[in-house]
Amino acid sequence: MGEYTIGGKTLKSRFFLGTAQYPSPKILLDSLAASEAEVITVSLKRQMGDGTSMKNEQSLYFDALKQSGAALLPNTAGCKTAHDAINVALMAREVFETNWIKLEVIGDDYTLQPDMFELVKAAEKLIQEGFEVFPYCTDDLVTCQRLLDAGCKVLMPWGAPIGSGQGLINTFALRILRARLPDAFLVIDAGIGSPKDAAHAMELGFDAVLLNSAVSQSHDPVKMAKAFKLAIEAGRLGYEAGVMSQQDMANPSTQVSGRPFSL
């Protein structure tokens, strides 16, 4: 699939993987290895799959993530205002020693839909502070354009609500985003349920896929991580090769002519 550059880093994998809610740190690290992801998201507030705090293991855990060789993408998960998100981003830059930030500003507790007004406000400030901002956003074209105007080079529109596993619920809007924002680096983030959803996103022309729950909540996270790796690669290759257009009627693959083939 070739290399590409994002946020000053040259990468090959188009699989971005989250690190939350895995059954154990070992399964997480094994899943990261199987995925071959080169970008992994991480929060300042870590929790184990059973909800217990990781305070005693936090330092070793973060060290292990750093040693994985993947680029760390801290997030501002749980923030509901631009002010809170900015403060968390500043702390994350100190802790993880990176100017990358996945910017999340949640506007609704039920759907975890981002507050696009606060998101744009936070993005503008963080870019002024020297951050490479990866905003988690909706598929609204106009607001996405506002984020680009603010200086974001990457957009991360949702496929469906976080953790829902519903896949791509509005492919029309996603197709419009890809068509209208041809130069933006677009990452489908949230709602992916199975490898076929990831392949579909890549076939639509998106540049990468970020997911977490579909791997961490599966029966075998390590095997599922590999399945997603292969699906994302297949979807990207299909997009580059050019997926055939759909037809309303049958179109025989073998044309009947007046004479047989000559050998």
Side-chain angles (χ1 to χ4, degrees), residues 21 76 79 93 114 130-131 149 155 165 206 214 217 238 241 249:
Q21 298 183 330
T76 62
C79 293
R93 180 161 62 182
F131 281 88
D149 293 342
L155 298 178
F206 282 79
Q217 302 301 298
M249 301 294 290

Side-chain angles (χ1 to χ4, degrees), residues 8-220:
K9 300 182 185 296
T10 300
L11 306 170
K12 291 183 179 179
S13 173
R14 294 176 181 271
F15 186 4
F16 297 4
L17 186 58
T19 58
Q21 298 183 330
Y22 284 79
S24 71
K26 182 181 186 305
I27 291 177
L28 165 59
L29 295 176
D30 288 346
S31 298
L32 292 177
S35 73
E36 298 185 19
E38 295 177 294
V39 176
I40 55 178
T41 65
V42 62
S43 172
L44 286 173
K45 300 177 181 180
R46 302 302 313 163
Q47 286 190 325
M48 295 291 287
D50 60 3
T52 59
S53 174
M54 287 185 66
K55 290 181 180 179
N56 294 334
E57 301 178 33
Q58 195 172 44
S59 179
L60 292 174
Y61 176 81
F62 288 151
D63 287 343
L65 292 182
K66 290 179 181 179
Q67 292 171 10
S68 72
L72 298 184
L73 178 59
N75 64 48
T76 62
C79 293
K80 295 185 177 181
T81 67
H83 179 267
D84 288 345
I86 291 167
N87 285 338
V88 171
L90 291 170
M91 288 188 289
R93 180 161 62 182
E94 295 299 318
V95 172
F96 298 110
E97 300 176 342
T98 178
N99 69 332
W100 281 21
I101 193 73
K102 180 189 174 187
L103 181 60
E104 298 183 30
V105 186
I106 300 302
D108 180 71
D109 289 333
Y110 182 74
T111 63
L112 298 181
Q113 180 170 330
D115 183 330
M116 300 298 277
F117 298 98
E118 292 291 294
L119 188 67
V120 172
K121 186 190 304 184
E124 291 174 339
K125 178 62 176 176
L126 289 173
I127 288 170
Q128 292 173 4
E129 293 288 337
F131 281 88
E132 193 73 43
V133 177
F134 295 60
Y136 163 61
C137 55
T138 67
D139 52 23
D140 180 75
L141 173 62
V142 174
T143 313
C144 285
Q145 185 61 63
R146 294 290 182 270
L147 288 166
L148 293 176
D149 293 342
C152 297
K153 300 180 180 66
V154 178
L155 298 178
M156 306 182 78
W158 67 353
I162 293 174
S164 68
Q166 295 183 48
L168 309 184
I169 59 176
N170 192 345
T171 54
F172 172 78
L174 295 175
R175 288 180 188 276
I176 291 295
L177 278 186
R178 180 70 286 174
R180 297 289 294 138
L181 307 175
D183 298 324
F185 193 94
L186 301 181
V187 183
I188 288 292
D189 177 16
I192 294 293
S194 72
K196 67 178 176 60
D197 300 327
H200 188 193
M202 299 305 292
E203 287 176 356
L204 290 176
F206 282 79
D207 298 289
V209 171
L210 190 157
L211 58 93
N212 184 90
S213 300
V215 170
S216 68
Q217 302 301 298
S218 67
H219 296 300
D220 187 335

